Amino acid sequence: MKNAAVFLGIDVGGTNLKAGLTDEEGRVLATRKRPLGTFQGAEHFAASLAALARETALAGGVAPETLPYIGIGIPGAVSEGTVRYTCNIPLENVPLERLIRQSLDVPVLLENDANCAAVGEWLYGAGRGRRDFAVITLGTGVGGGFILDGRLYSGGGMVGEVGHMVICQGGVPCTCGRRGCWEMYASATGLIRLTKETMAAHLDSLLHPLARMQGGVDGRTAFEAAQAGDEAALLLCRRYVEYLAAGLTNLANILQPEAIALGGGVSGAPDALLLNPLREILDRECYARHGGRLPRLVKAELGNDAGLLGAAQLGRAI
Amino acid sequence: MKNAAVFLGIDVGGTNLKAGLTDEEGRVLATRKRPLGTFQGAEHFAASLAALARETALAGGVAPETLPYIGIGIPGAVSEGTVRYTCNIPLENVPLERLIRQSLDVPVLLENDANCAAVGEWLYGAGRGRRDFAVITLGTGVGGGFILDGRLYSGGGMVGEVGHMVICQGGVPCTCGRRGCWEMYASATGLIRLTKETMAAHLDSLLHPLARMQGGVDGRTAFEAAQAGDEAALLLCRRYVEYLAAGLTNLANILQPEAIALGGGVSGAPDALLLNPLREILDRECYARHGGRLPRLVKAELGNDAGLLGAAQLGRAI
């Protein structure tokens, strides 16, 4: 008999596989982690996932075979139980569900990891009670997941490549082959590039001693210098916010979500420098101010746990 | 008793109200049209719609009270039976369903007109059998409607303002208050502006005699001159296609629809100059080429009837 009260999710990250056994309220009953390690083929990868699921279930006192399903977040494109493509693991058109079930015969739900994070925030975090909701993650790139009409919108399995939305036609070349993609400006990587450009142009800026103290420029340098009143950093932050707002307003105009949650490292910046000016631009520029519904811009609440919690609850979201 | 086999749709256009009685296969059994006329208040407008519905139903031999619902496409934002805002009729927060039912007591389904057109194309036109499908209309502006997961995505009632997606940060000022909106480049209006700019720079171009013959520049001038081999017009068409492709690729990356249908006057341009080069760019630039699903770019099939047919079938789409 299947156990209807516990759920198992696995988050496949760049360096680790993290599994969690949760209850319906998103409480974590047991977790296990193992390094991704050197890739030794699809069968071996599937067997690792099955073993990790088994170990985590048992740690929570649950017979692995009674799990309703195993939900897995993959950094790539998936569909119909198959990994179509991933960025950091050499999996292409691998029937992962079938391979896992050779070791542990439980249904497998595969989803893109950004989509899992959106499900997590929707059920337990910044999107609770929303019908149309987006999570935008500002990290190395810009990722996105959408809950539309009260369900995860999964599209072709790699939906939400919002980072590869051109906002500056003919602009900075992107790794994806286009020019002027949003993530070249709005990601932490983009912010770091902007920071370095500003430093090169303003040798007297506080950005320099700050970067030296921190051992280099990161996604916080600009905000910290701006908080200390550095003029060049203040202008830089404003410019970053304008780029970020451009893409957010685009998404708001295209999909009109009730709320958009910002996640990732950069979203931890002070409200006065990030969330407040972003909200000002959205309120002024969103088309929905004409009688429609202006989206509420909020911070994601679950941090790195969103993906795992969402993966565990995929059965409710799709 | 309600009649389950016939459906009534009304398309509220800029100059006319058009009503159609249809069957489930989208065959039109009766149509009626009346001029929008001078606006004489919300009650009068609602009574006109009710009278038009009544007249059309009777013309098709159907008792108006037996209609399952009246589906109405509105050029603006709607939600919960209320018109929130329209562009060309002074309706703001008008409870249109309630007002119509004072004259004809049948449920009323209101939807944005671009969304109705998407439903029409999905059921009877270029989107038949698709689960995720977008219609992009190139007219005075750029409009859009989305079928996602096999349902109309209606969002906050004014979803799909895809024309107000910035593709050129800081670019041409748009009527919406932003700069660089897609519709400033990709609409028929945008194409006409680009054509005039090209004419000013190329006094020997074939565009000049063509425009004189046609009594002015319109959305066909550039394509006709390009077909005749005019170099400046060929470059202009290529530039227009690049702008159009930028927004289409953005939408494909964000939502990964199976197919995108182009409608509106401009979509009638020769394939060699429009659809073929657009497809080349999408195939090259869509992120989904990495193991995902590349969207099929097609022409909308139903022309001006899409909105009416879709309005009549709103009950199946929402």
Side-chain angles (χ1 to χ4, degrees):
Chain A
M1 217 187 76
K2 290 294 177 189
N3 196 322
V6 294
F7 302 91
L8 198 130
I10 301 182
D11 187 24
V12 176
T15 47
N16 286 301
L17 305 175
K18 279 189 303 181
L21 187 76
T22 69
D23 68 10
E24 218 159 334
E25 277 74 47
R27 280 182 293 251
V28 178
L29 310 172
T31 55
R32 285 294 182 273
K33 192 160 91 170
R34 55 170 69 184
L36 189 58
T38 317
F39 185 73
Q40 296 176 48
E43 275 84 5
H44 181 269
F45 179 66
S48 294
L49 289 169
L52 182 65
R54 190 180 291 278
E55 190 188 326
T56 313
L58 290 172
V62 170
E65 291 75 13
T66 65
L67 290 168
Y69 59 82
I70 302 171
I72 306 182
I74 300 275
V78 298
S79 66
E80 292 139 25
T82 295
V83 179
R84 301 292 169 196
Y85 165 86
T86 75
C87 310
N88 53 350
I89 313 168
L91 296 172
E92 210 175 311
N93 295 317
V94 168
L96 195 59
E97 169 162 25
R98 189 165 60 72
L99 296 178
I100 288 175
R101 293 188 81 155
Q102 290 174 359
S103 307
L104 175 57
D105 195 18
V106 165
V108 174
L109 301 178
L110 298 180
E111 222 359 294
N112 172 273
D113 56 356
N115 290 354
C116 290
V119 171
E121 289 288 345
W122 174 52
L123 291 174
Y124 308 118
R128 275 187 304 268
R130 304 292 185 184
R131 194 174 162 78
D132 304 311
F133 171 65
V135 175
I136 303 299
T137 307
L138 310 170
T140 312
V142 174
F146 304 111
I147 306 294
L148 303 179
D149 273 345
R151 286 191 299 183
L152 173 66
Y153 178 66
S154 182
M158 197 176 42
V159 77
E161 285 297 341
V162 294
H164 302 291
M165 156 172 60
V166 165
I167 60 161
C168 295
Q169 173 91 319
V172 179
C174 179
T175 49
C176 83
R178 307 185 77 191
R179 277 174 166 273
C181 282
W182 190 30
E183 78 171 36
M184 297 310 294
Y185 306 89
S187 63
T189 317
L191 174 57
I192 290 169
R193 199 192 67 243
L194 289 175
T195 306
K196 287 180 177 169
E197 284 173 15
T198 302
M199 288 168 74
H202 298 270
L203 296 175
D204 57 342
S205 161
L206 190 57
L207 290 164
H208 291 279
L210 257 175
R212 269 196 303 277
M213 271 165 52
Q214 295 170 337
V217 175
D218 67 18
R220 291 162 306 180
T221 316
F223 292 109
E224 286 175 7
Q227 266 194 304
D230 184 71
E231 274 301 323
L234 277 163
L235 281 172
L236 151 66
C237 289
R238 203 166 309 156
R239 216 171 122 219
Y240 173 74
V241 160
E242 279 168 12
Y243 285 126
L244 183 50
L248 292 172
T249 309
N250 282 357
L251 291 176
N253 283 350
I254 295 167
L255 290 170
Q256 266 194 70
E258 291 171 78
I260 301 176
L262 288 187
V266 177
S267 70
D271 285 0
L273 292 170
L274 188 73
L275 223 53
N276 295 352
L278 279 174
R279 283 179 179 145
E280 260 172 49
I281 299 178
L282 260 77
D283 287 356
R284 192 173 67 229
E285 296 203 348
C286 276
Y287 201 84
R289 68 184 186 281
H290 299 296
R293 186 178 62 187
L294 278 169
R296 233 183 102 71
L297 190 69
V298 295
K299 274 187 199 176
E301 295 173 7
L302 304 179
N304 290 332
D305 295 336
L308 187 65
L309 292 174
Q313 293 298 328
L314 280 174
R316 279 165 73 182
I318 54 180
Chain B
M1 220 185 72
K2 291 292 178 188
N3 196 323
V6 293
F7 303 89
L8 197 131
I10 300 182
D11 186 23
V12 176
T15 47
N16 286 302
L17 305 176
K18 279 190 303 183
L21 187 76
T22 69
D23 67 9
E24 218 158 335
E25 277 76 47
R27 280 182 293 251
V28 178
L29 310 172
T31 55
R32 286 292 182 274
K33 190 159 91 170
R34 56 169 69 183
L36 188 58
T38 318
F39 186 73
Q40 296 176 49
E43 276 84 5
H44 181 269
F45 178 68
S48 292
L49 289 170
L52 182 65
R54 190 180 289 279
E55 190 187 325
T56 313
L58 290 172
V62 170
E65 291 76 13
T66 65
L67 290 167
Y69 60 83
I70 301 171
I72 306 183
I74 299 276
V78 298
S79 67
E80 292 138 26
T82 295
V83 178
R84 300 294 169 195
Y85 165 87
T86 74
C87 310
N88 54 352
I89 313 168
L91 296 172
E92 210 174 314
N93 293 318
V94 167
L96 195 59
E97 169 161 27
R98 189 165 60 72
L99 295 178
I100 289 175
R101 294 188 81 156
Q102 290 174 357
S103 307
L104 175 56
D105 196 19
V106 166
V108 173
L109 300 178
L110 298 180
E111 220 3 290
N112 171 272
D113 56 355
N115 290 354
C116 290
V119 171
E121 288 288 344
W122 174 52
L123 291 174
Y124 308 118
R128 275 186 305 268
R130 303 291 184 186
R131 192 172 164 79
D132 305 311
F133 171 64
V135 175
I136 303 299
T137 307
L138 310 170
T140 312
V142 174
F146 304 111
I147 307 294
L148 303 180
D149 273 345
R151 286 192 300 184
L152 174 66
Y153 179 66
S154 182
M158 196 175 44
V159 76
E161 285 298 341
V162 293
H164 301 291
M165 156 172 59
V166 165
I167 60 161
C168 296
Q169 173 91 319
V172 178
C174 177
T175 50
C176 84
R178 306 184 78 190
R179 278 175 165 274
C181 282
W182 190 31
E183 79 171 37
M184 297 311 293
Y185 305 89
S187 63
T189 318
L191 174 57
I192 290 168
R193 198 193 67 245
L194 289 175
T195 306
K196 287 179 177 168
E197 283 172 17
T198 303
M199 289 168 73
H202 298 270
L203 296 175
D204 57 343
S205 160
L206 190 59
L207 290 163
H208 291 280
L210 256 177
R212 268 197 303 277
M213 269 164 53
Q214 294 169 338
V217 174
D218 66 18
R220 291 163 304 181
T221 316
F223 292 109
E224 287 176 7
Q227 266 195 303
D230 183 71
E231 273 302 322
L234 278 164
L235 280 172
L236 152 66
C237 288
R238 204 167 308 157
R239 216 170 122 221
Y240 172 74
V241 160
E242 278 168 14
Y243 285 126
L244 184 51
L248 292 173
T249 309
N250 283 356
L251 291 176
N253 282 351
I254 296 167
L255 289 169
Q256 266 196 70
E258 291 170 78
I260 301 177
L262 287 186
V266 176
S267 70
D271 285 359
L273 292 169
L274 188 72
L275 223 52
N276 295 352
L278 279 174
R279 284 180 179 145
E280 259 172 51
I281 300 177
L282 260 78
D283 287 354
R284 191 172 68 230
E285 296 203 349
C286 276
Y287 201 84
R289 70 185 184 281
H290 299 297
R293 187 177 61 187
L294 278 169
R296 236 183 100 71
L297 190 69
V298 295
K299 274 188 199 174
E301 295 174 6
L302 304 178
N304 290 331
D305 295 335
L308 187 65
L309 293 174
Q313 294 298 328
L314 280 174
R316 280 165 72 181
I318 55 179

